[in-house]
Amino acid sequence: MPIISLPEPDASLESSLRDAAEGRAWLANQTQVQPLRMLRALLKEIKAIDHCVSVPATRLELLDVLRPAVIQAQAGVAIRYAHKPLPLLRDEQEVFEQARDLWHALAIAYLRPIPLLPQQLVHQALHRGAVALRETLHSHFVAGIEVRPDFLCLLYDILITAEAQGLQRNRMADPDYPQLSQSTIAGDVTWSFLLVLSDPYRFSQAQFNVANRVFSRWCELASFQAEPSQDRHAKTISLAKWLGEDVVAEGKPQWLDVRPVVRKIRQRVDALQAGETPESLKLGRELTPAGCIRLMRELDHILRPQPKPLGDILDCDTVDLVFGNENLYLLLAGKPLLDHALSAQSSHISHDRLALFGFDNAANRIDHVKDECAPAEMWTVEDQWILRAAPDGGQVVAPLLVGIRPKGEESPQLAILIGLRQTNDGWLAANVRRLPSPPASALQKVAAVLPGVQAARQPLFLLPDDEAAGLSASICLPTGSGLRQGSLLALEESPVEHIRLGEVIERGSNFVRFAYGRT
């Protein structure tokens, strides 16, 4: 049997639990309505069990007793770190690390006694370990934190061990995940690798949920191979790119054939174009039919031996990114959105200033030089990546509409910040996809909520036709505007005065991009 490389157990921990009965009694005395406290208690106890409980069958029974409580606690704390702006705050980072460590500790505790187990229990231990590692990766993806390479290597070790025992395609029911029916070790490992190959950091929360759902259903269709297929229509992806040449074993699985999965994806695109709804195709209700079609096509392009890199390659060493709709308006219009003149309510203050200083507000003097340059953050450019030290700026949540402040005689541009992740060495890494140029700013008046208060002006951003993507002219609106397909807009300071919104092209954390037509 191949040897699974595992970290040494923590010899400083002692567990009071010796069998399943003691585990049930321990759980009965815990406060399970406080998920974070329960998670911390489970993490300490499972690490101690990994060191203290040496009887293999007893260990598996004890871990199976604790496993439902682990799943419940993880579901309760995920909201504290999942889909948050990056970099995570200190409390969010600590909760994420504890959640990640609990899944990882559970996987290690299941895998350690495998050399001493009979084959039937080997199957159970490998299956439980593969599921726990899949959840470990999932916690990384939803937190936006880069996955450690040793997690993928451990998944590969599980696959090789299962293959050596002839267990990789044996089905097993999981009582703690009844919605998944019966699954195999190869299927669970494939599910994890499909998510890794698709680069889940590029997706919005809704897109990630749909992609994760389809991979959970179709992961059993893919297969691992020792050699690449010679069929010119084959879609075999090398695992060495993700695991390293020194990890992938000769004569062992080195390639993942995803052609059946891609076929399913294309069938869903055809069905959606024929009028089927995402719900009827079991894709969920998070995305519209058009959004599902775009996601399925993106997955089709990703799951290829040589996928197109995400984002554009910038021909510079650094790039100045502008954040926030008001700053984007300043970047494009060359003037601030808000009028800084004093209101009538402060006229007595204005008179006092005139009497004392001879002028009202220094910012309004004709000889005062105003800085009309939009504030920006400098990010370092490396190939198609842009990087910034995590503490060197504000929090960011992607996909995000940003501006690229020009250098020299260049014109300003708008772009989408995508693929954002926090690396293990403390950097934020992302890609940018430039939008069609030249962009134009516009304003829309928003009715005041209170009487006597001046109506606010909401910035909008117009984009020309995108011939490369086959898209007509579009407009980016702030999220929460309440507008939808078919809405009529009257614009100010715009090259287009009246428009009707078309379908939603894409959504981000601070924008919704619509197609539009003139009226």
Side-chain angles (χ1 to χ4, degrees):
M1 179 185 297
I3 299 176
I4 299 178
S5 178
L6 300 175
E8 291 296 322
D10 189 345
S12 66
L13 298 176
E14 292 291 335
S15 175
S16 60
L17 308 182
R18 291 295 180 266
D19 55 34
E22 291 185 1
R24 294 187 188 94
W26 181 83
L27 284 175
N29 292 325
Q30 302 303 311
T31 309
Q32 298 193 33
V33 295
Q34 299 181 17
L36 184 56
R37 177 179 293 183
M38 189 65 192
L39 182 140
R40 290 167 175 164
L42 285 165
L43 176 58
K44 181 179 179 181
E45 201 61 46
I46 288 175
K47 284 186 173 182
I49 290 170
D50 187 33
H51 172 247
C52 298
V53 181
S54 57
V55 180
T58 303
R59 175 193 285 231
L60 291 192
E61 291 177 358
L62 179 53
L63 292 174
D64 277 354
V65 168
L66 299 180
R67 190 168 180 251
V70 171
I71 296 172
Q72 182 180 354
Q74 293 280 11
V77 302
I79 193 174
R80 294 173 178 260
Y81 64 83
H83 307 293
K84 299 288 187 180
L86 295 180
L88 296 178
L89 301 177
R90 180 184 299 177
D91 291 346
E92 296 167 348
Q93 182 75 25
E94 289 177 356
V95 174
F96 158 71
E97 291 175 354
Q98 291 166 353
R100 184 266 319 274
D101 291 347
L102 177 55
W103 281 124
H104 187 237
L106 184 64
I108 297 299
Y110 271 117
L111 297 174
R112 196 177 300 282
I114 281 178
L116 305 176
L117 290 170
Q119 189 173 34
Q120 182 179 359
L121 292 182
V122 167
H123 185 203
Q124 178 183 337
L126 285 171
H127 186 272
R128 298 285 195 269
V131 171
L133 275 175
R134 186 193 73 217
E135 296 292 353
T136 305
L137 298 187
H138 186 272
S139 66
H140 272 269
F141 298 148
V142 298
I145 308 296
E146 189 177 45
V147 174
R148 283 168 31 189
D150 57 301
F151 291 165
L152 299 180
C153 295
L154 186 53
L155 265 175
Y156 186 68
D157 286 346
I158 291 175
L159 177 66
I160 291 178
T161 304
E163 187 180 66
Q165 298 294 307
L167 301 171
Q168 74 273 23
R169 287 295 176 184
N170 290 5
R171 291 190 171 274
M172 173 171 282
D174 193 334
D176 299 321
Y177 291 93
Q179 72 276 16
L180 299 179
S181 185
Q182 293 186 335
S183 63
T184 66
I185 295 170
D188 281 308
V189 174
T190 300
W191 183 356
S192 298
F193 274 112
L194 285 173
L195 283 172
V196 172
L197 296 173
S198 67
D199 187 17
Y201 305 102
R202 71 169 66 202
F203 299 134
S204 66
Q205 180 177 350
Q207 288 175 324
F208 175 80
N209 291 339
V210 175
N212 190 48
R213 187 176 297 122
V214 300
F215 288 152
S216 72
R217 294 180 56 209
W218 302 334
C219 58
E220 300 288 353
L221 301 176
S223 59
F224 291 96
Q225 300 175 352
E227 298 290 338
S229 175
Q230 300 302 317
D231 187 348
R232 65 187 183 90
H233 297 294
K235 296 187 180 297
T236 49
I237 300 175
S238 173
L239 300 178
K241 176 182 177 182
W242 306 95
L243 299 172
E245 296 287 350
D246 56 330
V247 175
V248 177
E250 186 70 27
K252 300 298 181 182
Q254 300 186 45
W255 304 82
L256 181 61
D257 181 13
V258 298
R259 186 178 180 183
V261 178
V262 172
R263 186 183 299 117
K264 283 285 189 181
I265 290 172
R266 293 175 178 176
Q267 289 173 355
R268 293 302 181 272
V269 172
D270 293 339
L272 289 166
Q273 290 178 329
E276 294 280 351
T277 65
E279 287 184 81
S280 67
L281 297 174
K282 298 182 179 179
L283 299 177
R285 59 176 63 181
E286 292 95 337
L287 297 176
T288 63
C292 278
I293 290 174
R294 283 191 292 271
L295 176 61
M296 293 297 107
R297 286 176 173 167
E298 187 172 358
L299 292 176
D300 184 1
H301 285 87
I302 295 169
L303 296 178
R304 296 185 180 186
Q306 299 294 332
K308 181 181 177 182
L310 179 64
D312 297 330
I313 297 178
L314 303 179
D315 187 19
C316 52
D317 296 327
T318 60
V319 60
D320 294 331
L321 296 185
V322 177
F323 297 89
N325 289 329
E326 292 186 11
N327 291 332
L328 292 178
Y329 179 82
L330 173 58
L331 176 71
L332 298 182
K335 61 181 181 180
L337 176 65
L338 300 177
D339 185 2
H340 296 288
L342 291 176
S343 66
Q345 296 176 348
S346 60
S347 59
H348 65 284
I349 300 178
S350 177
H351 287 299
D352 290 343
R353 287 174 175 167
L354 284 170
L356 185 61
F357 302 111
F359 59 88
D360 174 18
N361 189 343
N364 295 330
R365 288 182 52 153
I366 60 173
D367 60 343
H368 177 73
V369 179
K370 297 182 180 180
D371 183 10
E372 302 293 1
C373 183
E377 286 184 7
M378 186 174 70
W379 291 55
T380 302
V381 177
E382 290 187 11
D383 298 325
Q384 77 269 21
W385 294 99
I386 60 170
L387 305 165
R388 190 204 81 190
D392 289 356
Q395 288 184 296
V396 183
V397 56
L400 184 71
L401 180 66
V402 298
I404 299 178
R405 195 169 67 182
K407 298 178 180 179
E409 299 299 322
E410 299 175 352
S411 300
Q413 291 181 296
L414 294 182
I416 307 297
L417 185 79
I418 49 178
L420 179 68
R421 67 209 67 190
Q422 187 172 330
T423 67
N424 292 316
D425 53 357
W427 289 77
L428 293 186
N431 310 99
V432 288
R433 172 168 50 84
R434 286 172 291 196
L435 294 172
S437 290
S441 60
L443 293 173
Q444 178 199 14
K445 279 192 175 181
V446 180
V449 178
L450 299 175
V453 178
Q454 188 177 5
R457 297 193 298 173
Q458 183 170 264
L460 314 174
F461 308 103
L462 297 161
L463 301 170
D465 296 346
D466 187 353
E467 296 181 359
L471 296 175
S472 59
S474 57
I475 184 170
C476 292
L477 277 63
T479 53
S481 65
L483 300 173
R484 56 186 178 180
Q485 184 174 350
S487 296
L488 296 172
L489 275 74
L491 306 181
E492 299 178 357
E493 300 181 16
S494 167
V496 183
E497 292 186 0
H498 301 280
I499 64 172
R500 182 189 298 273
L501 297 182
E503 69 170 1
V504 174
I505 298 175
E506 59 183 324
R507 297 178 185 270
S509 60
N510 68 336
F511 75 98
V512 182
R513 184 182 175 192
F514 287 89
Y516 75 85
R518 299 184 182 219
T519 60

